[in-house]
Structures are given as C-alpha cells and as structure tokens.
Amino acid sequence: MCRLYTNSQADFEDYYQEVCLQIWRSRDNYQGKSEWSTWVYRLSLNVCLTQLKQDQKTRKVIVTELPLNESVEDQQVYSDEDLNELYVAIKKLSEIDRTIILLYLEKKPYKEVATILDSNAKNIAVRVQRIKSRLKDLLENKIEIYK
C-alpha cells in the first residue's frame, strides 16, 4: 500500500516506517470485530492518506498528476517492465481507486474490501470493473504514444 502512495524509495520507507509504528502503537486497540488483516489494511490506508495529505501541504506534490511515461529511477521498483508500467498507471488513479485495486490484486474478497473502506461489496465490485477499464485505457494509450 505504501508503494502506491509514494514516488520515491525514501518516501516509501518513511510511509512504511510510519505504518509499522502506528500498527505497533495501536495494537492494543484491536478489538477482534474484523479480521486482523482487515484492521491492518484499514490502519495502513489511514496512515498513508494522512501522510499523503501532509506531503501535499508541505511539498505541494500531487501524486495523481504524474505523467504516465515518467522515467524516474525510483519508479522502477520491479524487474518486470509490464509490472512497473501497471504501477505507474495505478498511481494515475484517485487515492480510493488505488486502494481498491491494490486490495483486488491481493485477492481480498469484495466484502473485506468493503469493510476496510466502509462501503458495500456490490459497490466495490462495480468500482473494480471501472478501475480495470480505466487502467486498460491508460496502458493502451501509453503503448500508442511509443508506436
């Protein structure tokens, strides 16, 4: 999750450290009303979104406006070029859509995603289809740019 809300390795490490710290500090607040993984995802999402808002205020950085063909070395996290392109495209999505598609890619059931995001499973299913369509368009447009 931290990778989707950052643009550099240093920012990723800062976000990841903050997520781990908040999980450690909040562990006693876990009440067992949901799966541990659901609670951790929700906490992680809240930390990432809070960090993102703080970064935008202090650095005036808007992550969702990254050019799709940006060739920043830090973006090349994975050895598979297609996977790198997918993650660059995912960063073009809204904050909530990034979270939804990340959880979808991690094979989380719609019901669990809905619990994490205070939504319902049907809404999540519809959004996943729309997100997949948007990603397909983004990736196809990128390929056409280089032809």
Side-chain angles (χ1 to χ4, degrees):
M1 187 165 300
C2 297
R3 180 76 58 206
L4 289 179
Y5 291 99
T6 58
N7 293 317
S8 70
Q9 185 64 27
D11 285 345
F12 165 77
E13 290 170 5
D14 288 345
Y15 278 47
Y16 184 75
Q17 182 178 12
E18 186 64 25
V19 165
C20 291
L21 178 63
Q22 292 304 324
I23 290 170
W24 176 256
R25 285 182 178 166
S26 303
R27 69 190 185 285
D28 293 335
N29 295 337
Y30 175 65
Q31 299 172 354
K33 293 180 181 178
S34 63
E35 297 279 332
W36 170 255
S37 63
T38 301
W39 184 83
V40 168
Y41 271 107
R42 184 162 190 144
L43 185 80
S44 300
L45 172 62
N46 289 338
V47 170
C48 287
L49 293 177
T50 299
Q51 289 291 111
L52 183 63
K53 287 177 186 170
Q54 288 174 353
D55 288 350
Q56 287 174 341
K57 286 179 184 175
T58 58
R59 294 187 224 165
K60 305 290 184 200
V61 174
I62 302 175
V63 175
T64 56
E65 292 183 7
L66 285 174
L68 187 57
N69 61 353
E70 185 178 68
S71 59
V72 175
E73 187 176 308
D74 285 338
Q75 295 290 331
Q76 302 300 314
V77 177
Y78 304 101
S79 59
D80 182 344
E81 184 61 30
D82 290 337
L83 190 57
N84 281 316
E85 289 177 5
L86 174 62
Y87 275 88
V88 171
I90 288 172
K91 285 185 177 187
K92 297 279 290 179
L93 301 173
S94 69
E95 295 167 359
I96 193 71
D97 286 350
R98 282 185 237 166
T99 301
I100 291 170
I101 200 66
L102 172 69
L103 295 170
Y104 172 80
L105 290 172
E106 292 189 5
K107 300 182 186 323
K108 296 294 180 189
Y110 291 150
K111 185 176 180 181
E112 185 174 351
V113 175
T115 300
I116 292 168
L117 300 174
D118 281 335
S119 186
N120 66 60
K122 288 183 182 182
N123 183 317
I124 298 299
V126 169
R127 290 191 72 162
V128 165
Q129 294 310 312
R130 290 181 184 160
I131 294 166
K132 287 164 65 175
S133 177
R134 171 100 166 103
L135 288 173
K136 181 179 176 193
D137 290 345
L138 286 169
L139 291 169
E140 285 175 354
N141 288 337
K142 182 184 185 318
I143 292 168
E144 289 175 12
I145 291 171
Y146 292 105
K147 284 186 179 181

